[in-house]
Amino acid sequence: MKKRLLFLLTVFFCWLPILAIQKPVFMLYHHALANECSLIDYLKVITHGLLLDCTVSGYLTVIPLLCILVSVWLPGTFYQKLIKGYFLVTGLLVAAIFAVDVALYGYWGFRLDATLFFYLQSPADAMASVPIGTFFLQFLLFLIYAYGIYWVFKRFVVPLFPTTPAHNRLGGTIVILLLGGILFIPIRGGVTTSTANVGMVYFSKNQFLNHSAINPAFSLLASLSKQQDFAAQFDFFPEEERKERYAALTAHNNLPMNDADTEKLLTTDRPNILIILMESFTANVIEAVGGEADITPNLNRLSREGVTFTNMYANSFRTDRGIVAVLNGYLAQPTTSIMKYPAKSQTLPSIAKSLGEQGYTADMLYGGDINFTNMQSYFFSSGYSQITADRDFPLSSRLSKWGANDDITFTHLYESIKDRDEKAPWLSTFLTLSSHEPFEVPYHHLEDPYLNSVAFTDSCIGSFVDKLKELPVWKNTLIVLVSDHGYRYPSSLTDYEPRRFHIPMIWLGGAVKEPTVIETYANQTDLAATLLSQLGLPHDQFIFSRDILAPGYPEYSFYTFTNGFGFIDSTGVSVYDNESNKPLIENPAAGSEERLNRGKVLLQTLYDDLGNR
């Protein structure tokens, strides 16, 4: 029996250094983020991370424990072959999870979660953001790590599995079962009331250090376990209190829709509408909304001809969530994406559906794979009758890893508008792609790849608008330029601070009455209610969208990042991390509690609604 206990203890404790070594490797790989970290920081990451490493080690010891339990009654040499195969499979899985996690963190800014499986539905598109050199480096890391894990267990652990029968089978069974009960403690995460969660390893104000301490295998499993019961998540307040708090944030919805005090931006209530979703455009590179100069001269010029919203914020950090925020007026979720669930997303109101009831036709243009992240089914269920994607362009035009570059798609858009019947109003939505990683564009004006790609798309926008002005359709057309999400530029930004989510929104075209600057704090989600209100159309079904120009508008911005949120209003900024249940930013501290409560009630209401769809 001593040999069996020694084998199980060796399995459990052998996994710990194998998992712990991921932490310094992760930090060294992302050395740009860890360049100010001391040796003490590395040690703290490792020691704090042991909590979740023990949990994962416990899970990985369950199968060996079952084998030992059976071997008490049915001994044999075949167990060693079985265990050897088990360690090969688990070694491959652990290595694959770590290698993928290390690669994606630099792009996503969070540890691996269930989003991985969503993007793997279109693996070619998922890999389009990763340079070929990075791919081979990660593959080499995977091979070395996987082989190392298998070699350690094959060399030092497998030979410890006993092949002889236990002398006291009943007593041995009881001991093994008791050991299984003890093993449940690290699996559960301890003996306290709280169970294992990624927040257990948070210890620093530096989010990178907290993220480094997370075990990616646990992060993935925990995310998978939280994907369904949305209504049960984020229950910050009792239901009656939630209703009261939420009503205070949406009191303006009870005001008359056509109040005389509402500012009118358009010359007509039935313009043709073109919504251009600019991939990864951050306000930090657009001078017209407070960013750097000389990167987007065309947007800066066009902003002086239209309506410029200088305090617009993206609701999320990913395209699939940003699209829904803009076109459906639906808040982005910090732990999932409603676009993953067609049965839910098809119940959402949309700008296209509302305009379709008024005789508008709606079409969608995207130069990439429209099947990526369920976009095709989403757009059709949102009221779009025609979709143009990479499959509609010749191979010679698909020069980007993502598909057809923006110069190709803007030319296509111009030609299609030029040939349209002017009698029927239309809504066109266009998602650009050239300013997406890896930023490979046929344009070489700026050294920084991201800035160069933004400048390229800006040049395409300027050329397109200038040509469209020469067409008769210009007089009755409204163009809405808005980002799908921001970007972490400059690189010193964290993934949760407000500047990461600050984006441009510009309305222009012949249907715009006069140039105007609107400095009100607003969200992507507010486009739906604001636009429909300008057209004299109801927008009550857009429960998270507010008319920015309506009297009594509660001025605030709300955004979400990976399991956290930010809330901005005239009193300041508060950012909250749901994993550690702690604020990350309170600027100023005065009034922060109320700001956080407002953010919490929005998040709770969102997940209640998501769970009930």
Side-chain angles (χ1 to χ4, degrees):
M1 183 52 61
K2 290 181 179 179
K3 290 183 178 180
R4 285 175 166 81
L5 294 179
L6 177 62
F7 171 78
L8 289 176
L9 291 174
T10 303
V11 170
F12 179 84
F13 286 105
C14 194
W15 274 114
L16 292 181
I18 288 174
L19 297 173
I21 200 173
Q22 294 179 356
K23 279 71 176 175
V25 172
F26 178 86
M27 295 176 72
L28 290 171
Y29 185 93
H30 297 289
H31 55 86
L33 298 173
N35 59 359
E36 295 182 3
C37 296
S38 65
L39 178 60
I40 297 299
D41 290 325
Y42 276 80
L43 293 175
K44 285 183 177 180
V45 166
I46 293 171
T47 54
H48 283 82
L50 279 175
L51 291 171
L52 292 183
D53 290 344
C54 286
T55 296
V56 175
S57 294
Y59 279 116
L60 293 171
T61 308
V62 170
I63 296 299
L65 184 143
L66 293 175
C67 289
I68 283 291
L69 182 61
V70 175
S71 75
V72 170
W73 297 87
L74 298 172
T77 58
F78 68 92
Y79 287 106
Q80 291 191 350
K81 294 182 179 179
L82 180 64
I83 288 295
K84 190 184 298 182
Y86 170 75
F87 288 134
L88 174 62
V89 172
T90 53
L92 290 171
L93 285 174
V94 169
I97 289 172
F98 178 60
V100 172
D101 171 70
V102 169
L104 292 180
Y105 184 84
Y107 299 101
W108 289 3
F110 57 90
R111 302 306 293 267
L112 200 63
D113 66 7
T115 305
L116 170 69
F117 296 100
F118 185 47
Y119 284 97
L120 284 182
Q121 295 175 17
S122 300
D125 289 316
M127 291 302 298
S129 297
V130 183
I132 192 68
T134 302
F135 172 78
F136 283 114
L137 178 61
Q138 297 310 123
F139 188 69
L140 180 62
L141 174 64
F142 160 74
L143 290 178
I144 294 173
Y145 191 32
Y147 179 78
I149 294 173
Y150 178 66
W151 182 84
V152 168
F153 280 99
K154 178 184 177 183
R155 175 69 176 82
F156 299 106
V157 180
V158 172
L160 296 178
F161 196 103
T163 58
T164 57
H167 296 296
N168 184 347
R169 292 181 176 179
L170 182 59
T173 300
I174 293 174
V175 171
I176 297 301
L177 290 176
L178 287 174
L179 185 60
I182 296 173
L183 186 65
F184 181 73
I185 295 176
I187 289 176
R188 187 182 181 277
V191 294
T192 60
T193 55
S194 62
T195 56
N197 61 84
V198 296
M200 291 172 56
V201 302
Y202 279 47
F203 68 95
S204 172
K205 293 182 179 180
N206 185 335
Q207 281 292 86
F208 174 71
L209 295 180
N210 293 331
H211 289 170
S212 298
I214 296 172
N215 184 294
F218 180 87
S219 177
L220 180 61
L221 290 172
S223 176
L224 287 171
S225 69
K226 295 179 180 178
Q227 292 301 298
Q228 297 300 324
D229 192 9
F230 299 114
Q233 299 181 43
F234 305 118
D235 284 336
F236 297 109
F237 306 104
E239 179 58 18
E240 288 303 315
E241 183 179 355
R242 183 205 65 80
K243 286 182 179 179
E244 292 178 5
R245 288 180 174 274
Y246 184 67
L249 283 173
T250 57
H252 75 292
N253 287 343
N254 298 321
L255 295 171
M257 185 183 65
N258 294 317
D259 194 287
D261 294 332
T262 299
E263 182 180 359
K264 295 300 180 183
L265 304 177
L266 307 179
T267 60
T268 174
D269 60 4
R270 288 299 179 270
N272 298 310
I273 301 170
L274 170 60
I275 299 175
I276 299 178
L277 289 158
M278 302 178 293
E279 172 67 50
S280 303
F281 265 55
T282 173
N284 300 328
V285 300
I286 301 170
E287 184 180 15
V289 289
E292 294 183 17
D294 304 324
I295 298 172
T296 58
N298 291 285
L299 285 182
N300 297 336
R301 167 176 60 88
L302 294 172
S303 69
R304 296 190 289 271
E305 303 174 7
V307 181
T308 303
F309 297 78
T310 59
N311 279 314
M312 177 65 60
Y313 285 80
N315 288 107
S316 183
F317 54 93
R318 300 298 300 179
T319 298
D320 56 306
R321 306 177 196 190
I323 289 175
V324 175
V326 171
L327 302 181
N328 302 87
Y330 198 72
L331 291 175
Q333 306 89 58
T335 63
T336 188
S337 168
I338 194 173
M339 197 182 282
K340 295 181 182 180
Y341 307 97
K344 293 180 179 291
S345 63
Q346 68 184 10
T347 68
L348 295 175
S350 71
I351 295 174
K353 288 178 182 177
S354 294
L355 294 181
E357 295 172 358
Q358 305 300 317
Y360 278 72
T361 59
D363 61 88
M364 171 65 196
L365 169 63
Y366 176 52
D369 182 4
I370 201 65
N371 290 312
F372 192 44
T373 66
N374 282 338
M375 280 201 294
Q376 178 163 266
S377 62
Y378 159 77
F379 279 115
F380 278 130
S381 65
S382 292
Y384 290 84
S385 58
Q386 181 179 344
I387 297 175
T388 303
D390 61 350
R391 64 198 176 199
D392 300 302
F393 294 92
L395 286 173
S396 58
S397 296
R398 304 181 214 170
L399 301 179
S400 165
K401 284 187 176 181
W402 286 97
N405 264 316
D406 293 345
D407 54 342
I408 301 296
T409 45
F410 266 109
T411 298
H412 174 88
L413 179 62
Y414 170 77
E415 294 296 332
S416 69
I417 292 177
K418 184 174 67 172
D419 296 335
R420 290 180 185 179
D421 181 1
E422 296 182 23
K423 295 181 180 179
W426 46 262
L427 165 69
S428 288
T429 300
F430 171 35
L431 173 62
T432 69
L433 61 71
S434 292
S435 48
H436 196 293
E437 297 107 341
F439 312 125
E440 297 174 353
V441 296
Y443 189 86
H444 307 285
H445 287 231
L446 298 174
E447 183 177 349
D448 184 282
Y450 168 68
L451 297 183
N452 187 65
S453 69
V454 168
F456 170 66
T457 299
D458 175 76
S459 69
C460 296
I461 291 173
S463 176
F464 167 78
V465 171
D466 289 341
K467 289 193 299 181
L468 198 64
K469 288 178 179 178
E470 303 301 319
L471 299 180
V473 72
W474 173 261
K475 182 179 180 181
N476 195 47
T477 295
L478 167 66
I479 300 175
V480 177
L481 295 165
V482 63
S483 301
D484 60 344
H485 55 80
Y487 184 73
R488 195 162 61 87
Y489 178 88
S491 59
S492 58
L493 287 180
T494 64
D495 286 304
Y496 57 81
E497 63 183 285
R499 289 183 63 200
R500 168 68 171 80
F501 297 84
H502 189 198
I503 61 170
M505 184 166 80
I506 301 170
W507 292 16
L508 58 114
V512 172
K513 184 185 298 184
E514 60 184 358
T516 306
V517 175
I518 297 177
E519 299 179 344
T520 306
Y521 285 113
N523 299 323
Q524 281 175 317
T525 49
D526 296 333
L527 171 63
T530 304
L531 177 60
L532 293 175
S533 178
Q534 289 291 310
L535 305 186
L537 300 176
H539 51 81
D540 297 343
Q541 69 272 38
F542 296 85
I543 59 174
F544 296 112
S545 186
R546 307 158 297 160
D547 179 6
I548 300 172
L549 303 172
Y553 171 85
E555 186 176 345
Y556 65 81
S557 295
F558 174 83
Y559 62 82
T560 63
F561 53 95
T562 307
N563 214 349
F565 67 84
F567 189 93
I568 310 168
D569 63 15
S570 59
T571 68
V573 178
S574 291
V575 179
Y576 191 79
D577 176 42
N578 292 314
E579 298 284 10
S580 60
N581 296 318
K582 294 179 180 178
L584 300 176
I585 297 176
E586 294 180 291
N587 186 21
S592 182
E593 183 177 357
E594 180 58 28
R595 291 193 297 269
L596 291 176
N597 283 338
R598 290 180 176 182
K600 288 177 179 179
V601 78
L602 285 171
L603 191 57
Q604 182 175 345
T605 304
L606 168 63
Y607 271 71
D608 285 350
D609 182 81
L610 180 64
N612 293 326
R613 285 189 180 273

